[in-house]
Each structure stands twice: as C-alpha cells, then as structure tokens.
Amino acid sequence: PGANRRIAVGAEPTPLGSARFLRVEHSCGRAVKFSLVEGLPLVLVQASIHNRAGKPLHVGEIIPLVATVDLGTPLAGLRTLGYDGLLPADQPRTRFFSLAAADPKTRGGLVCGWLSHDRASGLVWSRGEQDKLRVEPISQYGRLAIPSGTTLQGEILWAISTPWESG
C-alpha cells in the first residue's frame, strides 16, 4: 500500500444488505470504500474526508473514483442513456443522478448512479477515452464546511456491469 495509505477490509451492513468492503485510507484524511453486497451483482462506492486541520475545511465536490471501462465493444458501438436520451457513448455528457451505457447488440453494459443524496447533488460525467468509456461520478456540495476533527461521509454510488438478459 505505501507509506501514505492504509488498506482495511471487513464486513458491515449497508442500505441494501450485508456487504464486504475494501477501504483505502490516505494519510491526508481522504478515503474511498468499495462494498460488495451479498446476493446483489453490484458494488457500492463511498468516499469520505476527515478534517485534520485546526479550522473548518470547505468542500465543493467529491469525485470518489474515475474509471475507464472496457465493456468489450468499441466505443462507437456503445450507447449511453441519461435524462437527455439515448446517445453515442463517444460524446461527452454530464447526467444528473445516473448513467447507463450498453452495446445494443449484446446488451452488455454498465449502469451506475447515486443511491444517496443526503447532502450533495449527484452527477455522472462520461466521455470516450482511447476507445473505452471514462466515467466520473461527482457529488456536488456547494460549499460544505467540515468542522475540525470530524469526518464527512460522502454520498453512496452504486454500479453494475454485466451482460443483461431478458426474462
């Protein structure tokens, strides 16, 4: 892991059931947790920030992860779906709440979105990168103050990537 981060694994309850998690904690106070929920084919992702400073820390947004996803189909063959309709995946888009991307022929793809919106507005940004889909989920807080010595538990993102079958 290195001198600047620590890895933790364990089990805990989530809003969707029992889960096993892997948490990466950085010495600066930032962390990201990946949870696999028992019986569900999805992963939950949650970032947190612990304020170690002696004064309030102001946060505008949190990006818990940036993923370049290979869905097994060239980017030109993928379509994305959001509030703005069905569009080619190579066009950059910012969507509120969720993003779906799939190959219309195989129906394999990715769906991700925000499970919680307690303190932030959730967006999902996507664009093409080296013939793959780059996805950046963003929690926008405005100008949230984290008091000294406290931890902000970020919003919860969920994602699933699988071949879909009807019936």
Side-chain angles (χ1 to χ4, degrees):
N4 294 329
R5 31 178 205 251
R6 186 174 75 108
I7 307 291
V9 294
E12 67 180 0
T14 72
L16 300 176
S18 297
R20 295 174 54 158
F21 69 85
L22 179 135
R23 181 177 168 90
V24 181
E25 301 171 349
H26 299 271
S27 60
C28 66
R30 293 181 180 263
V32 65
K33 178 173 59 176
F34 300 89
S35 301
L36 296 173
V37 180
E38 258 182 55
L40 296 177
L42 56 84
V43 63
L44 302 179
V45 181
Q46 184 178 31
S48 63
I49 300 174
H50 181 75
N51 181 3
R52 297 172 190 230
K55 60 183 180 178
L57 173 66
H58 293 91
V59 174
E61 67 182 28
I62 295 176
I63 300 172
L65 68 97
V66 175
T68 302
V69 184
D70 183 350
L71 295 173
T73 299
L75 191 62
L78 298 175
R79 299 292 175 262
T80 58
L81 179 64
Y83 70 91
D84 51 353
L86 189 62
L87 299 166
D90 60 355
Q91 297 179 10
R93 295 280 185 247
T94 301
R95 292 171 176 87
F96 296 104
F97 176 66
S98 65
L99 166 75
D103 177 342
K105 293 177 185 167
T106 67
R107 296 170 49 180
L110 165 78
V111 180
C112 65
W114 293 98
L115 181 61
S116 66
H117 295 272
D118 298 327
R119 299 178 81 177
S121 295
L123 304 172
V124 182
W125 182 73
S126 68
R127 68 179 170 102
E129 182 176 278
Q130 299 176 353
D131 211 30
K132 294 179 178 55
L133 185 67
R134 181 181 172 108
V135 178
E136 291 187 30
I138 305 164
S139 288
Q140 294 187 327
Y141 288 89
R143 190 169 190 268
L144 178 66
I146 304 171
S148 177
T150 64
T151 301
L152 167 67
Q153 296 297 331
E155 303 300 334
I156 301 171
L157 175 78
W158 62 269
I160 182 171
S161 176
T162 184
W164 296 320
E165 297 178 11
S166 62

